[in-house]
């Protein structure tokens, strides 16, 4: 029978790789906690309707990329393609947004049925933050600064560029969409089917058209910038001034729009050219209308999400993962002789209690001394503790042996093992 394989685009992360992920998770959590953000966890499955109403019916994510199915009750559910919708749903459902400010963070797997390639997978991991109830550009500057702090901690600052754009307030976008629709309508016979279909449902998506003929036509289309209100422009200018003040450089990219419909005003992305094609590692912006759109009381908001796989790839390829994060053990305990099982488990228990930070593997499964010693060397441990006795003999002493070329060892009384080990490893 053929062996079963993982689903394409859904990766196993093996023990050699997990320390890199743990390192990144630790750094992210340290940064969000420094900024006073609190963790929220929400399900990977939600009503499909939640994503349709937030991300937008006519977006690539909802039209083509969601894993949706009817469950046994006939409810249409989807695996979450991103975190913001579920975070808003959860925060609102539990009254976290009612006249309150919230600074929240999350991490977890997201699912999109995309074409798998380097940096683009069908199950991928995101870190995100969402800040609710703060209208000013100060919070936008804060979340950008928070991401910049992470790049700093990870020593990635030199490899990442911040791009920002003002896509206007919701009303500005509505007026612009109407003007764009009118323009597209008057050129309907020059559009392709895809653009004609989107002309009414989501005209701004037509701007992303890959068809060169459509792109030529769009050169004469109305520009969003001309529809952006003064308030929105002022918000954006203040954000830029704040970023300059805290020393964060940025590039203004008028083509930056983001693929989710809920964004307004300031949007941003951090990109790198050290990854090839999939160069965006973090994207975010304001989404002031989303809470209300999902049935909550109007609550302004801003947030971002970053792709963990892309960051791991970056750290790996730039050699930025500190070697000490590789998970190694300190002690490998050899147990030569079946009758020593209980003694070895007891000694291991005592040593772990005495030195809570000690990483100790007690050999299981029997076998000859030489084979066990080989495992001890392969484990990367610094020392081996050898428990060995003749049949019928009571264990009185153990050997502590350095697992380096010296192979030095000492014999110690069983009861003094912990003291001696502490001395050898300089731990207490
Ligand atoms: P992309 O430009 O790669 O299509 P996006 O705009 O669709 O990204 P967002 O929805 O903003 O991405 O998600 C935020 C981040 O999550 C991205 O910047 C990226 O780092 C990561 N990401 C998104 N989709 C994937 C995926 N399929 N596989 C791996 N990481 C992803
Ligand atoms: Mg995408």
């Amino acid at each position: 029978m053929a062996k079963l394989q993982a689903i394409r685009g859904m990766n196993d992360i093996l023990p050699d790789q997990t320390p890199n992920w743990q390192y990144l998770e630790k750094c992210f959590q340290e940064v969000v906690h420094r900024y006073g953000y609190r963790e929220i966890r929400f399900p990977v499955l939600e009503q499909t309707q939640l994503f349709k109403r937030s991300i937008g019916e006519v977006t690539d994510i909802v039209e083509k990329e969601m894993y949706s199915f009817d469950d046994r009750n006939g409810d249409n559910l989807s695996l979450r393609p991103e975190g913001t919708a579920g975070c808003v749903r959860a925060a609102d459902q539990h009254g976290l947004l009612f006249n309150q400010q919230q600074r929240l963070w999350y991490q977890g797997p997201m699912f999109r049925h995309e074409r798998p390639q380097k940096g683009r997978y069908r199950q991928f991991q995101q870190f995100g933050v969402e800040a609710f109830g703060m209208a000013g550009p100060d919070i936008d500057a804060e979340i950008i600064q928070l991401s910049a702090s992470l790049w700093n901690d990870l020593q990635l600052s030199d490899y990442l560029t911040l791009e920002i754009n003002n896509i206007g307030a919701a009303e500005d976008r509505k007026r612009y969409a109407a003007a764009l629709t009118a323009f597209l309508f008057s050129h309907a016979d020059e559009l392709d089917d895809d653009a004609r279909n989107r002309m009414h449902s989501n005209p701004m998506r037509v701007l992303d058209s890959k068809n060169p003929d459509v792109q030529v036509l769009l050169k004469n289309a109305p520009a969003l910038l001309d529809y952006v209100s003064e308030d929105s422009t002022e918000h954006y200018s203040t954000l830029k001034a704040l970023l300059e003040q805290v020393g964060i450089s940025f590039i203004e990219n008028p083509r930056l729009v983001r693929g989710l419909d809920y964004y307004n005003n300031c949007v941003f992305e951090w990109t790198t050219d050290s990854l090839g094609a999939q160069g965006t590692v973090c994207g975010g912006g304001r989404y002031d209308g989303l809470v209300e759109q999902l049935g909550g009381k109007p609550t302004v908001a801003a947030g971002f999400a970053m792709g963990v796989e892309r960051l791991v790839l970056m750290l790996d390829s730039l050699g930025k993962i500190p070697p000490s994060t590789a998970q190694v053990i300190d002690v490998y305990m050899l147990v030569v002789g079946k009758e020593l099982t209980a003694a070895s488990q007891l000694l291991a228990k005592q040593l772990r209690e005495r030195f809570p930070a000690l990483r100790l593997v007690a050999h299981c499964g029997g076998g000859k001394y030489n084979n066990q010693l080989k495992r001890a060397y392969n484990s990367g441990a610094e020392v081996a503790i050898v428990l060995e006795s003749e049949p019928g003999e009571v264990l009185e002493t153990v050997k502590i042996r350095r697992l380096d070329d010296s192979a030095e060892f000492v014999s110690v009384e069983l009861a003094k093992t912990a003291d001696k080990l502490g001395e050898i490893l300089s731990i207490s």
Side-chain angles (χ1 to χ4, degrees):
M1 205 172 15
K3 268 193 203 163
L4 294 172
Q5 303 264 322
I7 297 167
R8 207 163 98 84
M10 301 203 176
N11 298 319
D12 301 307
I13 300 156
L14 303 179
D16 277 349
Q17 272 291 312
T18 47
N20 300 354
W21 285 67
Q22 289 164 359
Y23 167 67
L24 196 51
E25 284 159 9
K26 184 175 127 287
C27 291
F28 176 73
Q29 291 180 17
E30 276 171 13
V31 171
V32 288
H33 291 148
R34 284 211 297 271
Y35 280 75
Y37 285 63
R38 299 184 304 151
E39 188 186 11
I40 182 164
R41 301 186 188 198
F42 40 88
V44 295
L45 264 185
E46 297 273 0
Q47 304 280 350
T48 298
Q49 209 51 34
L50 174 68
F51 303 116
K52 288 192 174 170
R53 277 167 57 186
S54 53
I55 297 164
E57 296 253 11
V58 194
T59 55
D60 282 349
I61 294 179
V62 169
E63 276 188 336
K64 308 182 204 154
E65 297 173 359
M66 283 215 292
Y67 282 90
S68 304
F69 61 95
D70 290 333
D71 79 352
R72 289 168 197 275
N73 301 331
D75 293 328
N76 195 251
L77 308 180
S78 295
L79 283 167
R80 62 184 185 193
E82 56 103 60
T84 303
C87 180
V88 168
R89 199 267 313 131
D92 186 48
Q93 181 175 333
H94 300 285
L96 266 52
L97 303 182
F98 192 73
N99 286 336
Q100 291 182 64
Q101 296 187 337
Q102 292 288 352
R103 288 178 167 83
L104 306 174
W105 68 269
Y106 62 84
Q107 73 177 54
M110 308 296 161
F111 304 83
R112 297 184 195 175
H113 196 276
E114 305 199 69
R115 197 169 67 79
Q117 53 200 290
K118 185 183 168 201
R120 191 177 294 288
Y121 312 103
R122 291 181 173 171
Q123 172 171 337
F124 60 99
Q125 187 88 5
Q126 283 186 339
F127 295 141
V129 306
E130 314 290 358
F132 296 98
M134 290 159 270
D138 45 3
I139 190 67
D140 306 2
E142 177 180 293
I143 62 173
I144 291 174
Q145 235 188 302
L146 187 157
S147 53
S149 299
L150 180 64
W151 311 146
N152 187 56
D153 290 4
L154 296 170
Q155 298 178 15
L156 292 180
S157 305
D158 291 347
Y159 307 92
L160 287 163
T161 306
L162 173 64
E163 295 182 17
I164 61 173
N165 189 25
N166 180 12
I167 59 169
E171 312 83 69
D172 308 344
R173 290 160 66 69
K174 237 180 251 161
R175 285 190 301 126
Y176 173 63
L180 187 61
T181 305
F183 170 85
L184 295 170
F185 194 71
S186 66
H187 293 88
D189 46 350
E190 297 159 66
L191 298 173
D192 57 20
D193 286 348
D194 197 38
R196 255 193 305 274
N197 286 338
R198 293 188 157 191
M199 174 169 80
H200 295 289
S201 53
N202 193 346
M204 284 195 236
R205 288 273 116 207
V206 180
L207 300 176
D208 288 342
S209 170
K210 302 270 183 302
N211 181 337
D213 296 337
V214 174
Q215 280 302 336
V216 169
L217 179 73
L218 287 172
K219 288 216 168 84
N220 298 315
L224 175 58
L225 209 60
D226 298 328
Y227 290 78
V228 171
S229 61
E230 232 170 79
D231 279 357
S232 193
T233 310
E234 199 186 306
H235 182 112
Y236 186 58
S237 304
T238 314
L239 171 65
K240 287 190 288 183
L242 287 171
L243 291 176
E244 273 158 17
Q245 243 149 43
V246 294
I248 295 179
S249 5
F250 54 85
I251 293 172
E252 289 184 71
N253 175 2
R255 298 187 66 87
L256 180 65
V257 287
R258 318 274 305 112
L260 304 94
D261 282 352
Y262 49 67
Y263 285 109
N264 67 277
N265 283 342
C266 312
V267 294
F268 65 92
E269 281 186 359
W270 287 95
T271 60
T272 179
D273 43 26
S274 65
L275 280 180
Q278 317 312 330
T280 307
V281 299
C282 174
R286 294 203 68 88
Y287 51 94
D288 295 320
L290 182 59
V291 177
E292 186 180 16
Q293 203 176 305
L294 291 176
K297 203 169 135 273
T299 306
V300 296
F304 68 64
M306 46 179 82
V308 182
E309 282 79 359
R310 292 184 195 178
L311 288 171
V312 171
L313 281 169
M314 246 185 115
L315 289 169
D316 231 354
S317 69
L318 295 167
K320 296 289 186 190
I321 301 198
S324 61
T325 54
Q327 203 188 335
V328 287
I329 62 163
D330 306 304
V331 177
Y332 194 98
M333 184 183 284
L334 279 65
V335 190
V336 189
K338 263 203 193 99
E339 61 284 5
L340 291 177
T341 304
S344 71
Q345 302 256 319
L346 181 62
L347 179 60
K349 174 174 181 272
Q350 289 164 346
L351 293 174
R352 291 188 185 110
E353 280 169 3
R354 167 87 175 267
F355 307 113
L358 183 74
R359 290 164 299 185
L360 179 149
V361 168
H363 183 84
C364 291
K368 296 203 178 84
Y369 173 85
N370 277 343
N371 290 340
Q372 292 192 29
L373 189 64
K374 210 181 278 167
R375 281 185 203 271
Y377 271 102
N378 288 339
S379 75
E382 204 173 316
V383 300
I385 298 179
V386 183
L387 274 60
E388 197 173 15
S389 68
E390 297 297 324
E393 190 184 271
V394 179
L395 186 73
E396 276 167 1
T397 60
V398 306
K399 281 193 192 110
I400 303 180
R401 173 186 168 133
R402 286 206 173 277
L403 290 168
D404 55 16
D405 292 339
S406 77
E408 276 171 32
F409 71 88
V410 287
S411 291
V412 281
E413 266 176 58
L414 181 60
K416 304 228 167 96
T417 311
D419 291 342
K420 194 69 191 170
L421 185 70
E423 223 173 86
I424 290 175
L425 295 176
S426 313
I427 50 172
S428 52

